[in-house]
């Protein structure tokens, strides 16, 4: 259902989390000392100081209409939503009200949702934040100039698929403004996860009077969050200072400790990491979006003063092998079960850096941190696989001498090549010959997202857009996601699973929905359309003056809204 670009996430997850590290969460005490994995997040952070953000992105945008950033990212220094996320290093992320008084109400099973804004909310220019501003902010995201953002709402709101934004004077009637503080969203189907959807960037308020130049609005937006942009040089630097109208007591998602934030753009990734390792001058007050390499991990591990500043995730991205169930050789369930038993997951874990760097072996579709996650293993071959069990299943299926092809994206890194060879070697031990087909990312994506694609197996990865089983299970296993750029690389179609997915999507009770997604996870794996491999870990390095820097179970990134700077 997501409009998110799957070319990036669907198989390209290794770009974001190639080799990562497990363990403790760094700098969660005011002293800046490292803590153990049982540490909890701080209730507050010191006020004052300047936070430096070192970005490898060529340009950072604070445009909400086209953003794909999660609600714990730096975009939310400036913009608030109707709801937001509270994160913790030792328990699941929870949804909390942001601009709204609660996380939404429905009295018709999720077809319509009502939100009431808090009293006395004010933009950085001193004008009141109204329901009309929220409506207009959402409407902007439908404009053709703002394509590419998280777009669940575009297919869920009545009339959304035909709407092209407000710039021709048209409104989207399914966003009803009852009064200055009340909005009602009218959906085209029951949808229980709508409270999570309204935490996404497009639901930030935008005053229409300030949107005179939409193309450059993001460089000097009117702030609803604790910081306003006071200086912006595209591709170089942005400076943020306090929004004097923001009220801490109205905000459950942000601590807003630093007095000032300086964001430097377009920096070399390895240079950022080296600067954070060296920890000198302003870099002591810095965080970043840099990716760490195996060589840099070795350097970090060798120096406890650096390793103490490394925040590491317990959960992360889902890595798996998809089996094209429409291919005759894979139509028999026993063959797919045999492949599940045959794979040496421990070796694949080593390819990604081992348990310390690469991630945790998994047998689930859902990942830790997603509500309802319940570990199970229907094909327990141990970490290295069960060759004899796999051979027995292949014999029962009359498929003892199979030849299959494995398509993979070969231009991301050398890890995908090593992964493919490991799979080939593991299946050779049970009598399956694998022909490797390494492709460039574009060709690979076109192949596996086309119905009837000429491949048997493929490797892929996925990261959920919000903490619900829907955000992984529906895009990867619903029949509607076969072909046309969809994420169902297994070409898996089960009417009973489709019905269960539809019921879980519609369930407004999120606790009940979580149980439903857990059951669907197991229901799908009983058909064995994939081989789950890893929950890939992520990590981040912070300067020695940064506190409350941790990576929650979801999302697998540091919460940039709650860090503080200790002034020494």
């Amino acid at each position: 259902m997501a409009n998110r670009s799957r070319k990036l996430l669907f198989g390209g997850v290794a770009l974001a989390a190639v080799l990562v590290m497990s363990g403790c969460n760094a700098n969660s005490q005011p002293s800046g000392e490292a803590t153990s994995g049982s540490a909890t997040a701080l209730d507050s952070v010191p006020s004052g100081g300047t936070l430096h953000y070192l970005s490898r992105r060529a340009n950072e945008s604070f445009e909400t209409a086209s953003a794909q950033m999660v609600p714990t990212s730096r975009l939310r220094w400036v913009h608030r939503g109707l709801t937001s996320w509270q994160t913790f290093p030792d328990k699941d992320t929870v949804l909390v009200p942001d601009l709204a008084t609660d996380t939404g109400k429905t009295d018709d099973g999720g077809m319509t949702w009502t939100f009431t804004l808090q009293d006395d909310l004010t933009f950085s220019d001193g004008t009141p934040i109204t329901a009309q501003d929220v409506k207009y902010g959402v409407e902007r995201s439908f404009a053709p100039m703002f394509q590419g953002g998280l777009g669940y709402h575009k297919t869920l709101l009545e009339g959304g698929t035909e709407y092209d934004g407000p710039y021709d004077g048209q409104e989207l009637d399914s966003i009803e403004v009852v009064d200055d503080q009340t909005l009602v969203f009218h959906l085209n189907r029951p949808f229980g996860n709508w409270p999570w959807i309204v935490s996404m960037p497009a639901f930030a308020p935008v005053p229409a009077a300030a949107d005179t130049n939409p193309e450059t609005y993001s460089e000097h937006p009117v702030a609803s969050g604790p910081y306003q942009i006071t200086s912006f040089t595209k591709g170089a630097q942005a400076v943020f200072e306090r929004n004097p109208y923001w009220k801490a007591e109205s905000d459950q998602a942000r601590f807003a400790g630093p007095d000032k934030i300086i964001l430097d753009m377009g920096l070399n990734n390895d240079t950022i990491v080296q600067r954070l390792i060296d920890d000198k001058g302003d870099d002591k007050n810095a965080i970043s979006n840099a990716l760490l390499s195996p060589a840099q991990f070795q350097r970090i591990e060798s120096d406890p003063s650096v390793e103490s500043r490394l925040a590491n995730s317990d959960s992360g991205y889902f890595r798996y092998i998809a089996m094209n169930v429409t291919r005759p050789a894979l139509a028999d369930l026993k063959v797919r079960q045999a492949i599940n038993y045959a794979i040496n997951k421990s070796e694949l874990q080593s390819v990604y850096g081992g348990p310390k760097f690469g991630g945790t072996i998994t047998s689930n579709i859902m990942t830790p941190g997603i509500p309802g996650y319940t570990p199970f293993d229907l094909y327990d071959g141990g970490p290295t696989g069960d060759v004899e069990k796999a051979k027995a299943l292949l014999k029962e299926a009359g498929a003892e001498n199979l030849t299959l092809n494995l398509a993979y994206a070969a231009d991301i890194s050398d890890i995908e090549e090593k992964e493919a060879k490991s799979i080939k070697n593991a299946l050779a031990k049970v009598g399956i010959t694998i022909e490797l087909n390494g492709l460039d990312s574009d060709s690979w994506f076109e192949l596996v997202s086309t119905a009837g694609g000429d491949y048997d197996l493929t490797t892929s990865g996925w990261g959920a857009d919000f903490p619900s089983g829907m955000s992984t299970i529906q895009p990867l296993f619903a029949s509607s996601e076969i072909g046309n750029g969809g994420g169902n690389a297994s070409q898996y179609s089960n009417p009973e699973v489709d019905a269960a997915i539809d019921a879980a999507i519609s369930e407004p009770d999120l606790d009940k929905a979580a149980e439903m997604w857990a059951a669907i996870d197991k229901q799908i794996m009983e058909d064995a359309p994939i081989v789950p491999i890893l929950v890939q870990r992520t990590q981040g390095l912070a300067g020695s003056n940064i506190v409350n820097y941790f990576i929650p179970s979801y999302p697998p990134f540091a919460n940039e809204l709650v860090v503080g700077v200790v002034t020494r």
Side-chain angles (χ1 to χ4, degrees):
M1 186 169 289
N3 289 337
R4 188 174 190 173
S5 169
R6 293 194 178 94
K7 188 175 291 187
L8 172 63
L9 285 181
F10 183 45
V13 164
L15 280 171
V18 172
L19 291 175
V20 287
M21 190 175 192
S22 63
C24 66
N25 287 302
N27 298 7
S28 56
Q29 299 300 317
S31 66
E33 296 176 355
T35 64
S36 71
S38 62
T40 58
L42 299 178
D43 293 329
S44 64
V45 297
S47 181
T50 298
L51 173 67
H52 289 262
Y53 195 96
L54 310 179
S55 178
R56 60 189 172 85
R57 289 187 177 182
N59 186 57
E60 291 273 351
S61 174
F62 287 81
E63 176 55 71
T64 58
S66 57
Q68 292 195 11
M69 299 172 77
V70 297
T72 55
S73 72
R74 52 204 171 279
L75 185 83
R76 294 303 195 180
W77 292 333
V78 178
H79 302 288
R80 298 178 68 175
L82 288 173
T83 61
S84 194
W85 304 359
Q86 278 186 349
T87 63
F88 312 88
D90 53 359
K91 57 184 177 180
D92 288 351
T93 294
V94 297
L95 189 72
V96 295
D98 195 355
L99 294 174
T101 57
D102 55 37
T103 56
K105 292 183 171 66
T106 181
D107 58 9
D108 60 1
M111 281 290 291
T112 58
W113 288 90
T114 301
F115 293 83
T116 302
L117 300 186
Q118 299 182 55
D119 294 331
D120 302 323
L121 296 170
T122 309
F123 282 115
S124 57
D125 64 0
T127 60
I129 297 173
T130 69
Q132 181 60 43
D133 298 320
V134 177
K135 173 182 170 72
Y136 182 77
V138 180
E139 288 176 336
R140 292 175 76 247
S141 69
F142 287 84
M145 73 178 75
F146 293 131
Q147 297 306 302
L150 296 175
Y152 293 88
H153 62 287
K154 296 180 183 179
T155 56
L156 286 166
L157 285 166
E158 284 184 355
T161 56
E162 292 80 39
Y163 183 61
D164 289 325
Y167 297 114
D168 59 358
Q170 300 299 311
E171 294 188 17
L172 185 59
D173 293 338
S174 54
I175 306 175
E176 177 189 357
V177 174
V178 177
D179 53 43
D180 282 350
Q181 290 181 274
T182 309
L183 297 103
V184 180
F185 296 95
H186 298 269
L187 310 186
N188 53 30
R189 58 154 300 157
F191 189 77
N193 277 297
W194 188 253
W196 287 103
I197 301 303
V198 301
S199 72
M200 294 183 179
F203 289 82
V206 176
D211 190 27
T212 56
N213 190 347
E215 290 84 357
T216 60
Y217 176 78
S218 65
E219 297 177 12
H220 299 283
V222 183
S224 52
Y227 298 97
Q228 56 186 328
I229 298 175
T230 56
S231 173
F232 189 94
T233 304
K234 190 173 182 178
Q237 189 180 82
V239 178
F240 306 78
E241 297 182 75
R242 291 193 182 277
N243 168 10
Y245 293 97
W246 174 79
K247 299 175 183 177
E249 62 271 20
S250 75
D251 196 329
Q252 299 185 46
R254 301 159 186 82
F255 287 160
D259 285 334
K260 186 177 184 178
I261 302 171
I262 298 175
L263 186 157
D264 290 317
M265 311 174 206
L267 303 178
N268 176 269
N269 185 87
D270 291 344
T271 300
I272 294 173
V273 176
Q274 190 58 53
R275 284 173 58 177
L276 290 170
I277 289 174
D278 293 343
D279 195 42
K280 297 177 180 178
D282 288 338
D283 293 338
K284 291 184 177 183
N285 300 348
I287 59 176
S288 81
N289 56 7
L291 306 177
L292 278 66
S293 71
Q296 290 162 339
F297 271 116
Q298 293 172 13
R299 167 72 178 86
I300 291 168
E301 281 191 295
S302 70
D303 187 338
S305 69
V306 180
E307 189 173 16
S308 70
R309 297 186 278 112
L310 186 72
N312 312 283
S313 71
D314 291 325
S315 188
Y317 296 100
F318 175 49
R319 190 73 185 169
Y320 63 102
I321 305 166
M323 293 179 273
N324 187 344
V325 299
T326 66
R327 306 283 277 189
L330 293 167
D332 193 315
L333 173 61
K334 290 181 179 179
V335 173
R336 303 195 299 273
Q337 291 173 332
I339 292 173
N340 266 274
Y341 279 109
I343 296 301
N344 186 331
K345 295 184 181 182
S346 180
E347 184 173 278
L348 290 171
Q349 184 184 50
S350 296
V351 166
Y352 278 91
K356 195 171 185 180
F357 294 157
T360 304
I361 291 172
T362 188
S363 54
N364 283 58
I365 297 166
M366 293 168 63
T367 55
I370 302 297
Y373 166 76
T374 306
F376 64 87
D377 193 347
L378 299 183
Y379 314 106
D380 186 2
T384 60
D386 187 332
V387 171
E388 295 308 314
K389 178 68 173 178
K391 284 183 175 179
L393 284 166
L394 290 171
K395 185 175 182 179
E396 290 177 29
E400 295 175 87
N401 294 294
L402 286 181
T403 297
L404 304 173
N405 70 72
L406 169 64
Y408 62 98
D411 62 345
I412 298 174
S413 73
D414 62 351
I415 289 180
E416 282 70 21
E417 180 80 26
K418 293 176 181 177
E419 178 183 52
K421 289 181 177 178
S422 173
I423 295 167
K424 177 178 180 176
N425 293 338
L427 293 179
K429 293 178 181 179
V430 301
I432 298 176
T433 301
I434 294 294
E435 298 174 348
L436 297 181
N437 183 22
L439 303 167
D440 65 85
S441 296
D442 288 341
S443 299
W444 170 86
F445 178 77
E446 182 177 357
L447 176 67
V448 302
S449 63
T450 300
D454 186 16
Y455 64 94
D456 296 313
L457 309 175
T458 189
T459 51
S460 192
W462 189 262
D465 289 325
F466 59 97
S468 165
M470 174 205 165
S471 199
T472 296
I473 289 174
Q474 191 273 343
L476 301 188
F477 299 101
S479 298
S480 60
E481 298 302 303
I482 297 173
N484 299 314
N488 190 340
S490 299
Q491 314 271 311
Y492 173 74
S493 179
N494 182 331
E496 293 182 356
V497 168
D498 287 339
I501 288 173
D502 194 63
I505 287 173
S506 301
E507 176 53 57
D509 183 329
L510 296 184
D511 290 335
K512 184 175 180 180
E515 296 176 359
M516 296 167 74
W517 289 118
I520 296 168
D521 188 339
K522 196 168 187 178
Q523 183 181 8
I524 292 169
M525 284 309 303
E526 287 172 351
D527 288 336
I530 66 166
V531 181
I533 301 173
L534 289 178
V535 178
Q536 295 178 261
R537 301 188 192 277
T538 57
Q539 72 295 131
L541 190 62
S544 58
N545 289 340
I546 299 296
V547 294
N548 216 39
Y549 186 76
F550 62 90
I551 298 178
S553 56
Y554 182 87
F557 311 107
N559 186 338
E560 296 168 346
L561 308 182
V562 298
V563 298
V565 178
V566 175
T567 56
R568 302 179 191 275

